Amino acid sequence: MYLIADSGSTKTQWCMVENGEYEVIYTSGINPVYQSDKEILQMLEQEFRAQEKRVEAVYFYGAGCAFPEKNEQVRLALKDFFTAPQVEIASDLLAAARSLFQHSSGIVCILGTGSNSCYYDGKDIVGNVPPLGFILGDEGSGAVMGKRLVADVLKGILPGKIRESFFREYRCTYPEIIDRVYRQPLPNRFLASFTPFLKKYIAYPEIENIVCTALEEFICRNLLQYREIRRLPVSFTGSVAFYFREQLLCLLEKYDLCPGQICQTPMEGLITFHTAPSLQ
């Protein structure tokens, strides 16, 4: 039995694979930028519900797993929890690349709680515009869209009906929002939690403008930086890309870019990648 994990800042999807069959388990997200190995282990002990934890190998792909020291934090926690002889840690960007393109080349995009992109040559990530997080970058992400939504609600920019719906549905006050964003951990996850509200009210021009502005900034500030962008398909994974597929496709057409796949999660493609005969 082996375990494949796809982890964003908000949630982790675990897939236990054995003899061609698999079981899916969900826990909170794991991001070593915000969590220590002890915090990751504590979360697993509280949330990972499976009768059998012992596995032969763990292939973990995660947000924040782009630096050796951060990868080691995750590896230590997983090694301790699963007692697996083989634990491999890689970025969520490589997970997206392998899932979306397998062994072919293309431009890979993640639009979820955060955002990221790369040029994948069919084996390795060979070009990456740094995402920079939701304060300096992460254009097109749920965190950035949520940040704009919350700001427009609190500043009174959005129509009264939308503002009333926001406070009715989330039952949060101005001081509570400020506390969650500026004083509590994982503010990016909190801001991204408002993505379903944007989806629900996308018919309002003011809401669609928030979404389209963020997606267009992702294209202009990230995708157009790749020299290969005009000759390769552009594929996406992540809840934001999936929710706002219509707006995304319109913008890709506007910039004369070739759309590839748009999927909500990379797990199905990762299972294919890790079970391909050539990789056994």
Side-chain angles (χ1 to χ4, degrees):
M1 178 186 295
Y2 62 91
L3 188 64
I4 302 171
D6 167 50
S7 183
S9 294
T10 300
K11 67 177 181 296
T12 304
Q13 181 181 14
W14 306 82
C15 188
M16 302 182 72
V17 183
E18 185 175 26
N19 299 325
E21 298 183 355
Y22 59 88
E23 175 187 359
V24 175
I25 298 170
Y26 290 93
T27 67
S28 297
I30 292 174
N31 190 326
V33 173
Y34 304 108
Q35 298 164 290
S36 68
D37 56 309
K38 292 182 179 179
E39 290 171 327
I40 295 169
L41 179 59
Q42 183 180 32
M43 184 278 291
L44 288 172
E45 290 172 343
Q46 293 173 347
E47 298 186 22
F48 193 93
R49 305 299 182 190
Q51 293 182 346
E52 178 60 68
K53 292 193 308 181
R54 298 182 67 86
V55 293
E56 296 174 5
V58 179
Y59 304 103
F60 182 92
Y61 299 92
C65 296
F67 307 98
E69 65 276 13
K70 297 300 181 184
N71 291 6
E72 183 62 13
Q73 286 179 216
V74 180
R75 193 190 70 80
L76 287 172
L78 299 185
K79 188 84 171 178
D80 193 359
F81 185 73
F82 293 107
T83 63
Q86 181 182 357
V87 177
E88 295 184 8
I89 311 296
S91 69
D92 57 346
L93 195 55
L94 184 60
R98 287 176 170 177
S99 173
L100 293 167
F101 289 102
Q102 300 290 312
H103 302 286
S104 300
S105 59
I107 303 298
V108 178
C109 306
I110 297 174
L111 294 178
T113 297
S115 69
N116 208 344
S117 63
C118 72
Y119 165 45
Y120 175 67
D121 68 357
K123 182 180 179 182
D124 299 308
I125 293 172
V126 293
N128 171 238
V129 176
L132 301 180
F134 78 102
I135 295 176
L136 297 178
D138 267 4
E139 298 87 359
S141 70
V144 166
M145 290 182 185
K147 180 172 68 172
R148 172 69 184 277
L149 170 67
V150 169
D152 286 2
V153 166
L154 297 181
K155 288 178 179 290
I157 293 173
L158 292 174
K161 183 176 181 179
I162 296 178
R163 300 201 311 274
E164 291 168 7
S165 297
F166 179 87
F167 287 115
R168 182 176 63 252
E169 293 183 24
Y170 290 102
R171 299 185 181 278
C172 53
T173 64
Y174 176 94
E176 288 170 345
I177 292 172
I178 296 301
D179 182 67
R180 289 293 303 272
V181 172
Y182 290 102
R183 299 185 183 93
Q184 298 300 318
L186 302 174
N188 59 329
R189 187 185 296 179
F190 170 69
L191 292 170
S193 71
F194 299 114
T195 303
F197 185 90
L198 292 167
K199 174 62 175 174
K200 182 176 180 179
Y201 293 94
I202 192 66
Y204 285 83
E206 296 86 353
I207 295 296
E208 187 170 36
N209 179 63
I210 291 174
V211 170
C212 289
T213 297
L215 293 176
E216 190 161 13
E217 286 186 348
F218 176 76
I219 291 172
C220 293
R221 295 175 62 82
N222 297 274
L223 299 189
L224 297 185
Q225 309 306 314
Y226 296 104
R227 291 178 298 175
E228 303 83 4
I229 192 66
R230 301 293 179 188
R231 64 177 181 84
L232 291 173
V234 185
S235 288
F236 297 80
T237 187
S239 58
V240 170
F242 187 78
Y243 286 158
F244 304 115
R245 177 190 183 95
E246 180 181 344
Q247 290 75 21
L248 185 56
L249 288 173
C250 286
L251 287 166
L252 291 174
E253 182 178 2
K254 175 182 176 179
Y255 286 91
D256 196 29
L257 303 180
C258 177
Q261 297 185 66
I262 299 177
C263 62
Q264 190 167 8
T265 76
M267 184 55 73
E268 185 174 347
L270 284 174
I271 293 172
T272 299
F273 183 88
H274 283 284
T275 56
S278 60
L279 297 178
Q280 299 304 307

